[in-house]
Amino acid sequence: MELRHLRYFVAVAESRSFTQAAERLFIAQPPLSRQIQQLEAELGVQLFERSSRPLQLTEAGQFFYQHALKLLSNAEEIKCMTTRIGIVERSIKIGFVASLLYGLLSKIIYVFRQQQPNLKVELIEMSTFEQIQALKQGKIDVGFGRLRISDPHIKRILLREEPLVLAVHQSHVLAQKQCVTFAQLEQEQLFLYPKSQEANFATQVQSIFAEHGLTPKNLKVVREIQLALGLVAAAEGMCIVPESAKSIQLAHVKYIPIIDHDATSPVFMAIRHLDTADDLRALFDCIYQVYDLEAIQYERAVL
């Protein structure tokens, strides 16, 4: 006995007609009749009272009908659950630097999850340097960072150049300005982040100062962005942050645009060279969907 025999039998029992059941099943009536006859022969019982019109089930047929429905329902449930389990096993591991999560990356991940409900998404905070090693070791599938790190095994895609802004206490004289330049910040107490031995956002900002021939006179590097902004809120100094950090709202902290042409921080997506998995392409498309929704300027790169 096969599941198709059960489906044929249920169709005839519910239609109470071989002709109508055949139409419902999109098969010819003679083969359907033969299948039911074979089923009855296998069971050794008659399932239908063929002398009645419309067809009636025998007592054995009624019993078999109830259990056939349960078996078909169970089979469909098993099929759906097995398919669902197989799909859930797909996963993507995403490495990211913390500052990106305060901006559009969180929205990108949300949209990606909505569009890929059966894909397990795992987020792992790590520096850009750590992302490169994790990609090569297969520990993550994609990374989002801010540093230009070259590696023959890694493909780096520039997503956009994010403007930099100055976080300053509202009592400071610079808080009254519409915009500032790096030159105006050289003598100020500045907090940068993060504090680590490798190149990072802090060294990136210091490089911009150097390119302008400037050397900050009162500079302190702290552990993380939250600490830097907390010190700004306490009027201990000011901090240069990516524009997306404006979503971190602290009392008495204002964000002022920095108008130097190079006052930007790049946002990179990194993947293994030649890796073009469908899930990565879907994530890549989500990035630009969010950029469009947020009216973010960019030049679309090629994955």
Side-chain angles (χ1 to χ4, degrees):
M1 185 189 307
E2 300 178 18
L3 286 177
R4 61 187 176 89
H5 291 134
L6 299 182
R7 294 191 183 96
Y8 293 160
F9 166 74
V10 167
V12 175
E14 292 179 345
S15 300
R16 304 178 72 180
S17 165
F18 280 97
T19 301
Q20 293 179 20
E23 293 175 353
R24 172 176 163 181
L25 294 167
F26 300 102
I27 61 176
Q29 181 178 333
L32 176 60
S33 298
R34 286 195 297 272
Q35 293 292 330
I36 298 300
Q37 290 171 0
Q38 290 173 8
L39 179 60
E40 290 177 319
E42 182 177 350
L43 294 171
V45 297
Q46 186 174 333
L47 299 173
F48 293 99
E49 295 285 357
R50 287 174 170 76
S51 59
S52 62
R53 290 292 183 272
L55 283 176
Q56 298 291 332
L57 289 168
T58 63
E59 184 178 352
Q62 287 284 0
F63 175 84
F64 190 71
Y65 173 70
Q66 297 298 327
H67 288 275
L69 287 178
K70 292 180 182 178
L71 287 171
L72 289 173
S73 176
N74 290 340
E76 185 62 28
E77 183 178 353
I78 291 170
K79 176 184 175 182
C80 291
M81 290 183 66
T82 302
T83 300
R84 191 178 303 119
I85 290 171
I87 292 174
V88 169
E89 287 178 349
R90 289 173 46 234
S91 65
I92 183 171
K93 294 183 179 180
I94 301 174
F96 67 96
V97 295
S99 66
L100 291 177
L101 206 57
Y102 293 111
L104 297 178
L105 183 59
S106 57
K107 296 180 181 179
I108 290 167
I109 298 301
Y110 175 77
V111 172
F112 184 56
R113 287 184 190 274
Q114 300 307 303
Q115 296 183 3
Q116 305 291 327
N118 295 315
L119 179 65
K120 181 181 178 181
V121 179
E122 183 177 349
L123 299 177
I124 306 171
E125 181 188 356
M126 54 178 61
S127 70
T128 305
F129 277 99
E130 290 172 333
Q131 289 176 32
I132 300 302
Q133 294 305 312
L135 280 168
K136 292 194 290 187
Q137 295 169 7
K139 294 180 178 179
I140 63 173
D141 302 295
V142 58
F144 291 92
R146 293 187 178 277
L147 299 181
R148 293 179 170 87
I149 300 176
S150 297
D151 188 290
H153 303 288
I154 302 300
K155 181 176 182 179
R156 188 186 64 216
I157 303 107
L158 176 63
L159 298 176
R160 72 184 185 108
E161 292 281 355
E162 184 177 1
L164 298 177
V165 298
L166 178 71
V168 59
H169 195 277
Q170 65 181 20
S171 65
H172 196 284
V173 63
L174 290 181
Q176 310 310 313
K177 295 186 175 295
Q178 296 298 312
C179 57
V180 295
T181 64
F182 273 92
Q184 291 174 282
L185 308 180
E186 187 178 26
Q187 303 298 326
E188 301 291 342
Q189 174 64 60
L190 289 174
F191 296 105
L192 296 182
Y193 66 91
K195 193 171 187 177
S196 65
Q197 298 300 317
E198 60 194 26
N200 51 40
F201 180 72
T203 55
Q204 192 177 85
V205 172
Q206 291 179 73
S207 295
I208 299 176
F209 272 108
E211 289 170 5
H212 285 262
L214 304 170
T215 303
K217 302 302 187 292
N218 302 290
L219 180 64
K220 184 176 182 180
V221 180
V222 297
R223 187 175 64 255
E224 57 189 9
I225 186 173
Q226 294 93 332
L227 178 56
L229 291 174
L231 291 168
V232 173
E236 290 293 311
M238 53 192 67
C239 178
I240 295 173
V241 296
E243 186 179 45
S244 57
K246 291 165 63 175
S247 63
I248 306 174
Q249 293 296 317
L250 295 178
H252 312 303
V253 174
K254 289 188 66 176
Y255 295 97
I256 312 298
I258 303 175
I259 60 172
D260 296 280
H261 74 279
D262 54 354
T264 61
S265 177
V267 178
F268 291 105
M269 174 180 175
I271 61 175
R272 285 180 287 274
H273 193 58
L274 300 180
D275 191 347
T276 56
D278 290 341
D279 293 333
L280 290 177
R281 290 190 175 279
L283 176 59
F284 192 63
D285 289 337
C286 278
I287 292 169
Y288 292 113
Q289 288 176 32
V290 172
Y291 282 5
D292 289 336
L293 289 171
E294 298 293 326
I296 300 297
Q297 293 186 349
Y298 63 88
E299 290 185 11
R300 178 158 184 152
V302 177
L303 183 61

